[in-house]
Amino acid sequence: MPIIEVNNLTKDYGHGRGIFDVSLSVDKGEVFGFLGPNGAGKTTTIRHLMGFSNPQKGKATINGLLCNKQASRILRDVGYLPGEPALPENLTGTQFIQMMQGLRHIKDKERLSHLLELFQLDVRGKTKRMSLGNKRKLAVVTAFMADPDILILDEPTSGLDPVMQESFIAFMKEEKKRGKTILLSSHIFSEVDAICDTIAIIKEGKIVSSVKADDIRHNQNKVFHITFESAAETGRFQGEPDITVSYTNLEKHIAKVSIHDSDTNRLIRILPKYRVESFKEEKYTLENHFMRFYEKGV
Ligand SMILES: Nc1ncnc2c1ncn2[C@@H]1O[C@H](COP(=O)(O)OP(=O)(O)OP(=O)(O)O)[C@@H](O)[C@H]1O
Ligand SMILES: [Mg+2]
C-alpha cells in the first residue's frame, strides 16, 4: 500500500489557477520529487497533504488516512517543512526548539545535537533577527528532530547556501537509506537527480509527466546536434529517408536527431552524404527532459 496517495485532487481557485485531477503515489522508502514552474500547484498539493485545505474533488491520504479529516493523527508520523516557514518572532531559536519538543513529546536530545551540528545552526538569538537561511535551517531542524518516518518538504534547500545545500542533500540520502518516505518539491534539477526515485512534473495545476529517475539515467536514446554548412544542406537532410529528423532550424543550419543507441552507426554512415560543420551528442539528462515543460506553450 502506498504511504502517500493523492487521487484526482482538485482545488479550483478560479481563472485557471489551482490544481486539477492531481494523482500521485509514494511507496514506503521511496523519494518522490515534485517539480514545476512557479505557480504550478506544488504548494497547493502539499498543503492538502498536510490537511490545511479541503479538496473540492478527489482525496489525499497518508497511511490510508484522509489528510483533511485525520490530520492530527497523521502528523505524528510526518516531518513537514513549509515553503515559507513562519516562526514565532518573540522566541529565541532555543525556545522555539523547546516549544516544538514539548508539542511533539520529543525526548531524544542526541538527534537534535546531531542536526544542529550538521546544519551548523546557532540557535541562541531571537528568530526575528535570524537571516533567511538560518530561519530555514531552524525549520529543517525542527521538522527532522522527531525522526519522523515520512518527510514532506516544500523546496527544502531554497535559501540555503551551496555548502548547506550539499549537506542537506547528503542528509536526505542518509534518511533515504534509513527507509524514510520522502516527498519534496524543488526547482533544482541536480538535487532531484541526486535523491529522487520518481519525479513528477506539474504544470498549470496538472501533472504532465511522471517518470522513474532510473529510466532517464539509463535512457538508451541519444540526441545529436548537427550543424550544416548551409540552409539548403539542412533542408536536404530534413528529407533524409533513412533517419527521422526531430528538429531543424534552417536559419541557423541546425538539425537534431533523436535515435536509439543501436542506430548510431546508421547515422554515422549517412552523414558523409552531407556537408557537416559540427556534430555533437547532447547528453540525455533529467534537466533536458524536464526543461521543456518549463517553457511556455508546451
Ligand atoms: N489560497 C489561494 N487562493 C487563491 N489562489 C491561490 C491560493 N493558493 C494558491 N493559489 C494559486 O494557485 C496556483 C498554484 O499555487 P502554488 O503556490 O501551489 O504554486 P507552486 O507550484 O507552489 O509555485 P512556486 O514554485 O512559486 O512555489 C497559483 O496560481 C496561486 O496563485
Ligand atoms: Mg510553492
Side-chain angles (χ1 to χ4, degrees):
M1 189 184 74
I3 299 285
I4 300 174
E5 200 162 23
V6 172
N7 286 315
N8 301 103
L9 196 69
T10 299
K11 182 80 163 200
D12 189 344
Y13 289 122
H15 309 284
R17 293 175 314 166
I19 51 172
F20 308 93
D21 278 319
V22 167
S23 296
L24 58 90
S25 84
V26 190
D27 287 332
K28 176 152 180 46
E30 190 179 359
V31 183
F32 184 96
F34 206 24
L35 269 81
N38 291 129
K42 303 178 292 296
T43 298
T44 304
T45 307
I46 288 175
R47 289 178 54 80
H48 279 83
L49 282 171
M50 298 308 297
F52 300 150
S53 209
N54 283 312
Q56 287 155 342
K57 208 186 96 192
K59 61 176 185 176
T61 60
I62 294 181
N63 281 333
L65 304 172
L66 272 177
C67 296
N68 58 330
K69 300 278 191 242
Q70 282 162 292
S72 57
R73 170 67 198 87
I74 292 170
L75 297 188
R76 274 185 240 159
D77 301 318
V78 174
Y80 168 55
L81 181 67
E84 291 165 28
L87 304 169
E89 291 205 338
N90 53 352
L91 297 183
T92 63
T94 313
Q95 287 167 332
F96 178 65
I97 288 176
Q98 283 165 348
M99 184 182 98
M100 295 307 284
Q101 280 176 321
L103 284 175
R104 305 202 69 172
H105 311 289
I106 301 166
K107 306 234 157 49
D108 181 358
K109 296 264 183 327
E110 234 171 76
R111 170 115 179 133
L112 175 63
S113 353
H114 171 65
L115 291 169
L116 290 177
E117 196 173 317
L118 184 74
F119 292 106
Q120 294 167 27
L121 178 61
D122 181 354
V123 286
R124 284 170 300 183
K126 284 254 160 93
T127 56
K128 72 172 164 195
R129 291 201 203 97
M130 285 183 176
S131 70
L132 180 65
N134 275 346
K135 281 185 189 159
R136 286 202 64 94
K137 284 190 207 172
L138 182 58
V140 167
V141 168
T142 45
F144 288 114
M145 68 184 177
D147 204 11
D149 288 337
I150 305 163
L151 301 169
I152 297 185
L153 315 167
D154 198 354
E155 294 188 44
T157 56
S158 82
L160 299 182
D161 68 38
V163 173
M164 274 303 130
Q165 285 189 5
E166 282 301 315
S167 308
F168 189 84
I169 290 171
F171 174 67
M172 300 292 286
K173 284 184 179 166
E174 240 176 67
E175 293 297 286
K176 181 178 173 169
K177 267 200 206 130
R178 295 175 66 220
K180 301 298 169 82
T181 305
I182 306 174
L183 180 144
L184 65 98
S185 79
S186 178
H187 287 289
I188 304 166
F189 294 112
S190 56
E191 153 181 316
V192 170
D193 198 4
I195 50 182
C196 294
D197 304 304
T198 305
I199 298 146
I201 280 259
I202 184 165
K203 187 173 183 179
E204 293 166 5
K206 296 184 185 123
I207 304 257
V208 289
S209 170
S210 180
V211 291
K212 295 279 169 209
D214 275 350
D215 293 345
I216 302 264
R217 290 188 195 113
H218 307 140
N219 191 298
Q220 294 200 309
N221 285 321
K222 283 196 172 105
V223 177
F224 290 97
H225 280 237
I226 310 159
T227 312
F228 296 91
E229 275 185 14
S230 64
E233 203 62 356
T234 316
R236 200 160 71 81
F237 182 71
Q238 201 174 15
E240 167 61 46
D242 284 340
I243 210 113
T244 309
V245 181
S246 49
Y247 168 88
T248 49
N249 182 327
L250 294 179
E251 228 171 82
K252 293 186 177 162
H253 312 171
I254 295 171
K256 279 192 201 183
V257 177
S258 173
I259 50 173
H260 191 265
D261 272 0
S262 56
D263 279 335
T264 312
N265 257 329
R266 196 146 59 92
L267 176 67
I268 290 171
R269 274 201 308 274
I270 289 167
L271 284 178
K273 295 198 283 181
Y274 298 90
R275 281 218 267 268
V276 173
E277 212 165 64
S278 72
F279 174 78
K280 70 169 190 224
E281 184 192 333
E282 179 183 289
K283 210 171 160 344
Y284 199 70
T285 59
L286 268 180
E287 182 159 352
N288 43 41
H289 176 79
F290 287 125
M291 216 37 212
R292 63 201 165 104
F293 295 108
Y294 276 66
E295 286 152 11
K296 278 212 154 59
V298 179

